[in-house]
Structures are given as structure tokens and as C-alpha cells.
Amino acid sequence: MADRRSSSAGAASSRRPVEHAWLVTGPLALVAVIFSTAIGLVTPHPFGEWGLAGILLAVMVVAGLPMLNFVIGRQSFGVRLTEIPLVLAFYFLPPLMVVLAYTLATLVTHLRYRFGFAKLAFNVANASAAASLAALVLLALPPIRGVGPGTWGVLFASVSTLSLATLVGVAGVITVMHGWQAGTGVLRNVPPLLTLAINVVVGLVVLIALRTTWWSAVLIAALAAAAALVYRSYAQFFRQHRTLGGMYDLTKAMTAEGQSGNLVDVLLGRIRALMQAEYATLWLPAQGRHPEVMLTARVDDSGLLDVAPTPEVIREETRRQQRSLALGVRLGGDEELRTSLRTTGVKDVIAVPLRSGQAVIGTLEVANRLSDVGHFTDSDIPIFETVAAHAAVALENSRLVDRLRHDAYHDTLTKLPNRRRITGALDEAVKIRAPGEVVAVLLFDVDGLRQVNESLGHAAGDKVLVEVAERLRACAPSSALVGRAGGDEFLVTLRLENAEAALELAAQLREQIRDEMVFDALTLDVDTAVGVAVHPDHGSDAASLLQRVDLAATAAKSVPGSVQLFNPALESRSLRRLGLAGDLRRALDEGALEVYFQPKVTLRDRRLVGVECLARWEHPTHGTVSPEDFVAVAEHTGQLGRLTEVVLREGLRRSRDWSHTGQPLAVAVNLAARTLTDQHFPDRVGELLTEYGVPPQRLTLEIRESGVLDGTDRPIPTLRRLRDLGVRLSVDDFGTGDSSLAHLRRLPVHEVKVDRSFVQGMATDPGDLAIVNAVVTLSQQFGLAVVAEGVESELTLELLQDIGCEIGQGFLFSRPLPYERLEAWFGAQVDPETISAGESPRLRVVP
């Protein structure tokens, strides 16, 4: 049968104390008494031959010794031959005597292992209850007659009942002690049926031989002795094979994980499993700049502990003597050291020095062989010394344990804590509630790093990141944790009074980062977009805070140089954008996007000179989706090219149609900055112009200021190819960035569009009026046309006329309109008498 014994260290991980085993032991003992009483009452002669009973009792004790041992987790399982004498006992002895003999055999066997009283009582009660139940089954079945098949069935049923009842009792006590999952695990891990069937069959063969002639006992004894030798040889072979396999797996794992931060976890975990130990401990004393390292793998923990179960004196002695120390029941060892070991509750330990050349750099030790009956022996020492030699090779080069631990929580380039370290610190910080304080998280996203990498190389980009890290570390408060989240993102977390204080600190740090950076002969201006989130307002754990500060930083990118505090609208907008990706693809496939047109008018004589084409999307569920949202989705899902082509095709088609009706109008189409990185885009524009037969000069491509003036020459080749096609180029939203008009001189553009925020403020803000005036004046000197966006009042129109602005667009003339309404607007606003060949139509009135 397969017998289970729990580990002596089980109490360390038990959910309930050992005394709870009596909840199972008591009922089992009661069941045993009741069943045994019933057996005695219904059996005419409850006791048989005491001599034969004594012989079978001795055989049961011998058969109760495990022939093969397996360790699964904290549990030890022994393959025994108990069923063989049970078959004979149920045949030759009265049932009550079988119960008595089996109970006494269990008591003798388990006294040998020196179990605690609670565990000994359970095993005896469990054995007695199972034997009495099996005896009742025997009595309930037809009487045994001869050794034929009927007898086989009766004996198999009785012995099977005993074995399975024993297993159920063990599962019950494990469930009480450790929970139902551990209890069902016992039933899954122990395969009793095959062992049970084999042992019963062997017992029946022995029975038939004995019934034939008692002299067969001599042959059976000889066969049993031979089988015991074979079992012992196989057990030794099995242990050697398992050890060699474990050594191979350990070596392969160390090779595979040698350059990663998981080496120590793999190393200690594999060593602990290989040696079937409860603990495996690595100790590297402090040396030079390297601090002391103490790491322990325990059977119940997936991570590593920073304490050891054994006293420090054992490690110190191992290091001092530069040889292995082995202490335990079967290992002997120095009595003083064994005394110090017993005070810690550890039953045995093997400690081996780790060598680097002739020097000892630390120790490796295993403690507590799993299972109550298991102990380390002298044969384990050379195996463990071989393991330690492999471990020393993996650790000795540069104190690998310390380096891996540092690398796991720090960024290699900037030496700052990485996202994992900051996440851990945040998890700890949010657990502590302090009245009048918040845990602030600041995310700094460096603008333009990609352009630096592409223009100057990644070495220059790395220098920028290192400099940003140094400035943040130097300027942040001493209580702050500064780290690099990855890429071009840096995190700062600390406790502050409130969210307003976090915003103020974020603005101060951003200004410190903005100072010029000088690398050799190159001077760079580096800006950052900053997101801010605070606990508990914006999240209760590190994961939600980091997610939301990332959303805030993304929102800050849309307004260059801004600091954005998280608000719930950002999260709902982000989730909405995520859900729009598939819908946008279907909308493009089905032509569900519509193109609106907003007129562009000369301010002096009110002539209609063109329209700007604007994509609009009416979602069937969400309603109107803002262009900012679906353009961002298109950029991140690779659909930007299709979206741009849809608007281009519709604009060129309408331009062609208007030309055929005698109203030649130019069309303007917005381009995303990413489109300028597509080297095939100019060729595609040329193909579309040819397809629709529209002269190139009637197409204006508008690019936002941040897209063409990004500090690099990356967009210039594409712009020049578009200019060579004859297409007009316009800089949209001019004035919102940090560039100047002088930067436009090196770009092949024809037009500047003044951002609506300045135009709308002209009538009330002298500063905005001065900005627009300067843009118009300098643009005209550079030969660039100027378009004013956001013209919404007659006063603004008059001011623009006074400073010489040529073209405007805005609600004063018309909102963006779909094609059908635009046609109606043409009929209402355009004076037909002013339409003549080669001239732009004049507006009849201004609404």
C-alpha cells in the first residue's frame, strides 16, 4: 500500500495547530471501538491461535517498513507490502484478532519513527478504524471456503476496504489541518490502486502456496529476502537517477538564467528540491562595496526570504574552517553546534563553503530533510558539495547575486530605480494613510527624444536621458523616489500636502529640466509633458495610479509643455478610444466617414477661394466622435494612411466637380506628422491628382506646426517632393509651439495659418493682437500667405483687415458643412453675378 507521512515542518505552514487533528482522531477511535465491539458480539470465537497471530504480527511490522520513498511537496509517501500479510491474516485469523494485530503492528511501526503523541494517536486510531471496517466487510460477505476465486474476491474486498479507508482518513486529517485543497491533493498524488492490486495478488499466491504445503514458507521467505534486495537496489538506483536528473536540470537552469535576474530564485529553488530539503540558504558576507546577501528558499514560498533558519555560527564556522559541516541525527557533528541547532528547531543541516579559487566567498546550506522519518545522511554530502561547486561558478565572477538584485530594480542606463522598484514602493506607500497627506506620482515624458535618436544617434539620446535623470535626482525633494519608467518616461513619487502641491512641484521640476543641455558643441532644448496623479483621489493601488498618471501625461502631450492632473474623463476617453479601433476599421471599409467642408474667404473683398476638408464620424452607438479621438486611434492602429486617402479622394473629387460647374475652388487637407515619414506618400498624392484631373496648385496640404518644426530635418525631404509636385503646403495652428517664423525660411511651405486661440483673442487681448500682427507682417516679408482661423465676429474681421491679413475662415462665414449643405450655402451666399472665368466667386452677404 502507499502510506503518507507529513513533514515535521508542516506546522510552520499549517492553517491550524496540530491539536486540531484530534477532531479526526477522536471519531476514528470511537468508530474503531464500536466496530470492534460489534465484531466481538457477532463472532462466536473472536480469538484464534495466538502463536500464528504473533507470527503474522511480526510479518505485518516488517511489511510496514517502506520499501520505496517519494516526497511530494511537504509530504513523504512510502510504498509498503502491508496487504500481503493482511490477506493471510483475514484468511487464517478471526476478524477481531486481525483488527488487534494490525493495530499493534501500526503502533510498533510508528513508535519507531518517534512521532508526536497527536500524530501517533491518529495513525493508530486510523489503522484500527480501517481494520475494523474491513473486518465488518469480511463478515458481511459469504464465508471463506477454500482458496478459490470466491475467496479471492472476499479477501480483495476486505483488504481494499482497509487500504482505502486508511487513505480517506489521512485525507480527512490533512483537510482539517491544511484545507480541502491539500486533502484532495493527497488523493490525487497517491496512486494506491495499482500497488494495492499487486500486493493482494502476491498475498493470494502466498496463501495458495501455504495452503498447498507449509514447506512453501521456506521458499516464500527466500523469495521475500531476494525481493527485499531487489527493492533496495532499485530504491538506490531510483535515488541516483533522480539525483542525476536533478543535477542536470540544475546545471541547465543555471546556464539558461545566468544572465538574468532569476538566477538566485532558480538556483535555490532547484537545490532545495534536489536535496528534498525544507530550506536552502545562500550567504555571501559583505566584501568591499558589496553588502551582505542572505537569501533563503523555503518549500512553502514562491519567493525568497532574507533570513535563515539556522544559527549564524554554523555559517561562520563553515567559512572559517573552509570545509563542509554536517549536523544531524545521522550526521553527527560537533556537539556544541548541534546544541545551538536544536534551539532553532532545525533537525539537520549541511553547510558547504562556496569557493572562488582558494578563497571562500560564502556558504550554501540546506536544512531539514522533508518528512518526519527523513534525515540527511553522509551520502548526501558529496552530492551537495558538487551542487555547491556549480553554484560557486555561477556566482563568483562579480558577486552575481548582488548585481542581479540591483539590476532587477534599477535602470541600467540612468542607475535610477525602475518601474518594478517604484511599483513596489508605491504599493507600500499607499498602505499607510496619513491625515492631510497624499501620495503623489509625477510622470515626466521627454518630448522629441525620438527625433534626437534619429538625427544624432542613440548615443546622444542616451546622454539626454542621463542628463534628465541627473536633473530630476538633484532637484527633487530628498523624500522623493525618482525612477525611470522606461523609454523616455521618468517617475517621481513622494508624499505631499495635496494635489495642488503636486502640480506646483511638477511645474518646478519641469522648468529645471528645460534648461539648455550642452553636449560637446551641440545645445539642445529639452521639454517634457508631465502627468500627475495622487492617492487616494486617483487610485487605491500602485497599478491604478501608474495607469492614470500615464493617461494624464498622454493628455499633457496634446498641449506642449503642460502639466496635467488626472481626471476621470481621461480614463473614460482612453477606454472609449480603445473600443473605437475596430469600429473605425469597419467605418473605413463601409464608407461611414463623412467629409465636411469649411469655406476660406479673402477678407478684403469677401471672395470664396477654397475649402478645408475635415473628416467627421457619426458612430452608431457613441454618436459624434471628435476628430482628435479617431485620428489618434488611426495613428495607433495603422489606419492613418487609409483615413488620409479617404479625405484626399473626397476633396479632389469635389474640386473636380466644382471645376466642371464653373466654380474652381482649392481644397485643403490636414496631414498628421506621421504621414510625413511615409516616403511613398508624395507618389500617392501625384497618382490621386492625375486620377481626378485636379491641378496640383488647387490642393493645399496642412501640417501642424509641431509636425514640421520638430527640431529635425526629417520631414523636409517629403515636403520638398510634395512642393515639386506643385502642391501648396501650409503650416497649421502656427503660434502654439516654441518655433519662430525664422524657422519657416528653411521649409518649402507657402502658407501660414494663425491659430484660432490668438485670432479669437484679438479683440480683447492686446497681446494676442500683437502676435497676430507680427505673424502677418513677417510672413508677408517671407512671401508666405497668411490664413486666420477662428474668425467669428465683424470686429475681428476688421482688425485682420487693418493688419493686412489676406484670408480667413471661421463661423462668421460658415461652420464646416457636409457637401449637400455646402451646395445650399453656395446658393445662398455666393453672388452668381460675380462668378466669371478665372475669378473666385464673391459672397453676397456675411451671415
Side-chain angles (χ1 to χ4, degrees):
M1 69 180 289
D3 178 48
R4 176 196 175 279
R5 300 180 301 273
S6 63
S7 167
S8 62
S13 63
S14 295
R15 298 178 183 177
R16 301 179 179 91
V18 175
E19 287 72 17
H20 281 71
W22 288 101
L23 297 174
V24 178
T25 303
L28 286 175
L30 181 61
V31 166
V33 171
I34 293 173
F35 285 2
S36 298
T37 303
I39 294 169
L41 293 176
V42 301
T43 305
H45 303 288
F47 298 104
E49 298 181 17
W50 289 99
L52 180 59
I55 294 173
L56 289 175
L57 172 63
V59 174
M60 286 183 188
V61 172
V62 174
L65 301 177
M67 306 300 293
L68 290 176
N69 279 308
F70 305 91
V71 176
I72 303 176
R74 282 186 175 273
Q75 317 307 326
S76 174
F77 300 94
V79 176
R80 304 164 183 267
L81 307 178
T82 312
E83 289 85 2
I84 297 176
L86 277 173
V87 171
L88 302 177
F90 277 122
Y91 185 85
F92 289 111
L93 298 177
L96 186 60
M97 185 166 280
V98 175
V99 174
L100 179 61
Y102 186 71
T103 303
L104 288 175
T106 302
L107 177 63
V108 172
T109 302
H110 289 78
L111 281 174
R112 174 179 177 271
Y113 298 133
R114 301 178 182 178
F115 283 160
F117 181 70
K119 187 171 294 186
L120 176 65
F122 163 76
N123 283 294
V124 173
N126 191 35
S128 182
S132 59
L133 176 62
L136 287 177
V137 171
L138 179 69
L139 292 173
L141 294 173
I144 295 176
R145 299 184 186 278
V147 289
T151 298
W152 301 352
V154 171
L155 293 176
F156 184 84
S158 301
V159 175
S160 299
T161 299
L162 188 150
S163 297
L164 295 179
T166 301
L167 182 62
V168 171
V170 170
V173 76
I174 291 298
T175 300
V176 170
M177 298 291 293
H178 299 275
W180 67 269
Q181 290 182 330
T184 55
V186 172
L187 299 177
R188 287 195 305 268
N189 288 330
V190 180
L193 295 181
L194 180 60
T195 304
L196 169 67
I198 293 174
N199 288 343
V200 171
V201 169
V202 173
L204 291 172
V205 172
V206 172
L207 173 63
I208 294 172
L210 292 175
R211 289 294 295 162
T212 302
T213 173
W214 285 102
W215 284 105
S216 62
V218 177
L219 298 177
I220 293 171
L223 182 61
L229 291 176
V230 172
Y231 263 122
R232 185 173 181 179
S233 299
Y234 177 76
Q236 184 177 2
F237 170 78
F238 179 79
R239 286 193 297 269
Q240 291 174 348
H241 180 271
R242 183 185 60 197
T243 301
L244 289 174
M247 289 286 291
Y248 172 76
D249 291 339
L250 175 63
T251 303
K252 188 167 72 171
M254 284 193 296
T255 302
E257 302 292 341
Q259 299 300 320
S260 73
N262 297 325
L263 175 63
V264 180
D265 302 68
V266 171
L267 178 68
L268 291 177
R270 297 277 183 142
I271 291 174
R272 188 208 56 73
L274 174 65
M275 300 302 297
Q276 294 185 13
E278 182 181 3
Y279 299 95
T281 300
L282 172 70
W283 176 59
L284 298 175
Q287 182 179 4
R289 63 181 182 86
H290 301 290
E292 180 184 26
V293 173
M294 174 76 74
L295 296 172
T296 297
R298 189 172 65 181
V299 66
D300 291 322
D301 292 290
S302 58
L304 297 181
L305 309 176
D306 57 1
V307 295
T310 54
E312 182 181 358
V313 64
I314 293 178
R315 290 180 291 280
E316 292 290 353
E317 281 297 307
T318 302
R319 181 188 182 193
R320 184 183 65 81
Q321 298 181 24
Q322 298 191 10
R323 64 179 182 86
S324 301
L325 287 182
L327 307 170
V329 175
R330 300 185 182 179
L331 296 172
D334 182 88
E335 186 59 34
E336 184 178 345
L337 292 178
R338 291 184 63 184
T339 301
S340 66
L341 186 66
R342 281 192 290 269
T343 61
T344 63
V346 176
K347 62 181 180 180
D348 47 13
V349 62
I350 302 176
V352 177
L354 294 174
R355 300 181 185 277
S356 176
Q358 297 299 317
V360 174
I361 62 173
T363 64
L364 190 64
E365 63 185 59
V366 287
N368 279 0
R369 169 62 66 84
L370 289 174
S371 87
D372 286 325
V373 299
H375 296 278
F376 291 120
T377 63
D378 291 335
S379 62
D380 293 313
I381 298 176
I383 296 174
F384 191 43
E385 287 177 339
T386 304
V387 170
H390 284 282
V393 170
L395 296 170
E396 66 179 353
N397 291 333
S398 60
R399 301 296 297 270
L400 188 57
V401 172
D402 177 63
R403 192 189 77 192
L404 292 176
R405 170 174 278 184
H406 183 274
D407 290 349
Y409 292 100
H410 289 80
D411 173 55
T412 305
L413 177 64
T414 62
K415 311 305 179 187
L416 292 176
N418 59 14
R419 180 181 286 270
R420 179 189 299 178
R421 172 71 180 87
I422 295 176
T423 301
L426 271 177
D427 277 330
E428 293 300 320
V430 298
K431 293 177 183 177
I432 303 173
R433 291 293 184 92
E437 286 187 349
V438 298
V439 178
V441 185
L442 285 57
L443 177 61
F444 294 80
D445 191 311
V446 180
D447 291 336
L449 184 66
R450 180 179 176 183
Q451 288 76 15
V452 173
N453 287 333
E454 293 177 352
S455 303
L456 305 175
H458 285 275
D462 289 346
K463 290 181 179 180
V464 171
L465 292 174
V466 171
E467 180 64 22
V468 171
E470 290 296 332
R471 293 187 181 185
L472 277 176
R473 187 157 37 194
C475 301
S478 58
S479 60
L481 177 63
V482 181
R484 184 185 177 195
D488 54 1
E489 296 180 342
F490 293 85
L491 283 166
V492 177
T493 178
L494 74 166
R495 290 185 176 274
L496 292 170
E497 295 81 8
N498 47 46
E500 289 72 22
L503 288 172
E504 182 180 350
L505 176 62
Q508 293 173 359
L509 294 177
R510 175 179 166 269
E511 288 301 319
Q512 295 294 331
I513 295 174
R514 288 188 68 188
D515 286 347
E516 290 183 343
M517 296 184 183
V518 180
F519 303 104
D520 299 328
L522 184 65
T523 300
L524 295 178
D525 292 323
V526 177
D527 202 355
T528 56
V530 190
V532 178
V534 298
H535 166 80
D537 298 347
H538 303 145
S540 59
D541 54 49
S544 57
L545 284 171
L546 292 174
Q547 175 196 3
R548 289 164 181 172
V549 78
D550 191 57
L551 289 174
T554 301
K557 291 180 185 178
S558 61
V559 182
S562 72
V563 177
Q564 174 70 52
L565 181 67
F566 171 80
N567 62 78
L570 297 177
E571 188 166 41
S572 60
R573 182 177 181 185
S574 176
L575 292 173
R576 184 185 180 198
R577 282 187 175 182
L578 184 63
L580 289 176
D583 297 339
L584 177 60
R585 182 176 289 105
R586 286 190 292 272
L588 291 171
D589 292 338
E590 299 169 2
L593 264 70
E594 193 172 0
V595 177
Y596 279 40
F597 304 89
Q598 185 173 31
K600 298 168 71 173
V601 178
T602 59
L603 301 180
R604 185 67 60 185
D605 52 7
R606 312 291 179 86
R607 291 189 178 274
L608 180 64
V609 293
V611 293
E612 181 178 358
C613 304
L614 301 166
R616 295 293 184 266
W617 183 17
E618 191 70 22
H619 193 280
T621 303
H622 302 298
T624 302
V625 181
S626 71
E628 182 182 356
D629 283 344
F630 68 75
V631 169
V633 170
E635 285 194 81
H636 285 89
T637 57
Q639 303 179 76
L640 182 60
R642 292 186 64 195
L643 176 61
T644 302
E645 184 168 336
V646 165
V647 181
L648 266 175
R649 281 186 174 277
E650 182 65 9
L652 293 175
R653 184 166 72 91
R654 296 306 181 187
S655 180
R656 178 193 62 189
D657 295 344
W658 289 324
S659 179
H660 290 167
T661 60
Q663 298 182 26
L665 291 177
V667 292
V669 176
N670 290 289
L671 297 183
R674 185 170 296 183
T675 304
L676 298 179
T677 64
D678 183 1
Q679 59 181 346
H680 302 293
F681 179 70
D683 297 331
R684 188 59 182 150
V685 172
E687 293 171 1
L688 292 175
L689 288 170
T690 302
E691 178 180 347
Y692 289 98
V694 175
Q697 62 270 18
R698 287 193 192 157
L699 173 63
T700 300
L701 298 177
E702 299 182 358
I703 307 98
R704 296 189 66 177
E705 177 187 2
S706 57
V708 292
L709 298 173
D710 60 357
T712 71
D713 294 334
R714 192 161 48 94
I716 292 180
T718 302
L719 293 174
R720 286 177 177 167
R721 290 176 61 194
L722 291 170
R723 180 199 60 186
D724 294 341
L725 284 175
V727 173
R728 290 177 55 81
L729 300 173
S730 175
V731 178
D732 197 9
D733 297 337
F734 189 82
T736 56
D738 295 331
S739 56
S740 66
L741 279 167
H743 292 159
L744 292 174
R745 300 183 62 183
R746 60 189 183 92
L747 296 177
V749 297
H750 308 85
E751 179 182 280
V752 173
K753 296 187 73 173
V754 185
D755 186 68
R756 68 181 66 250
S757 61
F758 300 114
V759 175
Q760 292 173 347
M762 289 175 60
T764 56
D765 190 336
D768 287 344
L769 177 60
I771 290 173
V772 176
N773 189 17
V775 172
V776 171
T777 301
L778 291 176
S779 297
Q780 290 174 346
Q781 291 180 2
F782 293 150
L784 302 175
V786 181
V787 178
E789 298 181 288
V791 182
E792 298 183 0
S793 69
E794 287 288 352
L795 178 56
T796 301
L797 177 64
E798 292 175 3
L799 291 172
L800 289 169
Q801 288 175 339
D802 291 342
I803 62 178
C805 185
E806 303 164 356
I807 302 171
Q809 66 181 95
F811 292 173
L812 179 64
F813 307 114
S814 174
R815 296 175 178 271
L817 300 172
Y819 177 74
E820 294 75 13
R821 292 180 59 191
L822 182 69
E823 287 293 304
W825 183 87
F826 280 165
Q829 302 299 327
V830 175
D831 188 351
E833 298 179 358
T834 65
I835 302 176
S836 59
E839 290 190 11
S840 301
R842 178 178 295 175
L843 302 186
R844 178 184 293 136
V845 295
V846 176

